[in-house]
Amino acid sequence: SVAQRLGLDGCEVQAVFAKDTYQTREHVGDLGNKLTPPFSQPASFLTGMHYKKWVVFANALPNFGRVVLMQNHNALHDALCLVFGSSSSYSLLSYLCRIFQRVLVAHTAGHIDLALLNATQPTYVIAQTNARFMVRPPSFEHSVSATVKQKSRALTAEQKEALTVIEKPEGSELIAQLGLDLYLPVL
């Protein structure tokens, strides 16, 4: 559905996913986990395929301020898709990485960072948020780099040591081209 909303050929995209397999298991979501006792229900999960195998850059920050770049040369379209998303957008990534050769995710809960948008010049943009964040509608005045700096200052020494930043050599040219060094945490 997302691919079709972006104007892509639905049959072509579905062919990419034709051999996908799923496993059903009990799942406690974000909201179900807030109940006592926690509420779970059966959910289907993609098996044998995970976006993490295509990650070439990740600043390793938790939630807001996280920036992740994936690169899959075998994807359907030679395009960059920029996702301004929240935790729910991560379930899309194993699909998006097979549609677009480059997928960049900024964890902003749908807020748009115009500086990041202008610097990366994506072919496609997805803004995803969760209902609980709609108390304040997404804005166009968000700064991921400011969030990264603020979160970096707030990290304890133990948290800084635990961060595992990813900058794979095979993505170095793309990382530089997109200016992602601006989104590395200050450790």
Side-chain angles (χ1 to χ4, degrees), residues 15-38:
V16 172
F17 308 136
K19 294 182 181 177
D20 286 358
T21 57
Y22 295 85
Q23 178 183 37
T24 300
R25 62 179 189 255
E26 285 294 309
H27 179 67
V28 176
D30 287 348
L31 298 178
N33 206 23
K34 296 182 184 337
L35 299 173
T36 305

Side-chain angles (χ1 to χ4, degrees), residues 93-156:
L93 299 182
S94 295
Y95 302 97
L96 294 178
C97 287
R98 293 182 285 156
I99 298 172
F100 305 109
Q101 288 187 11
R102 295 164 305 283
V103 177
L104 178 62
V105 178
H107 194 116
T108 65
H111 294 289
I112 306 296
D113 180 334
L114 291 176
L116 180 58
L117 184 69
N118 291 328
T120 59
Q121 295 291 302
T123 311
Y124 298 93
V125 177
I126 297 171
Q128 180 277 325
T129 192
N130 297 345
R132 68 180 179 270
F133 294 127
M134 292 305 293
V135 174
R136 280 182 276 140
S139 75
F140 287 92
E141 297 162 12
H142 188 79
S143 171
V144 177
S145 63
T147 303
V148 168
K149 289 174 187 165
Q150 176 189 8
K151 286 191 101 166
S152 294
R153 287 190 298 267
L155 291 171
T156 66

Side-chain angles (χ1 to χ4, degrees), residues 159-173:
Q159 289 171 321
K160 286 180 181 183
E161 193 167 313
L163 285 181
T164 306
V165 172
I166 297 171
E167 285 186 272
K168 292 188 176 173
E170 64 267 25
S172 60
E173 186 178 317

Side-chain angles (χ1 to χ4, degrees), residues 66 74 91 99 130:
R66 179 182 296 147
N74 297 318
S91 62
I99 298 172
N130 297 345

Side-chain angles (χ1 to χ4, degrees), residues 28-70:
V28 176
D30 287 348
L31 298 178
N33 206 23
K34 296 182 184 337
L35 299 173
T36 305
F39 176 79
S40 69
Q41 64 181 27
S44 296
F45 291 89
L46 181 64
T47 60
M49 184 70 57
H50 203 278
Y51 74 89
K52 288 184 180 179
K53 77 181 200 175
W54 294 299
V55 170
V56 294
F57 175 90
N59 69 1
L61 290 174
N63 300 322
F64 283 86
R66 179 182 296 147
V67 176
V68 181
L69 173 66
M70 287 123 314

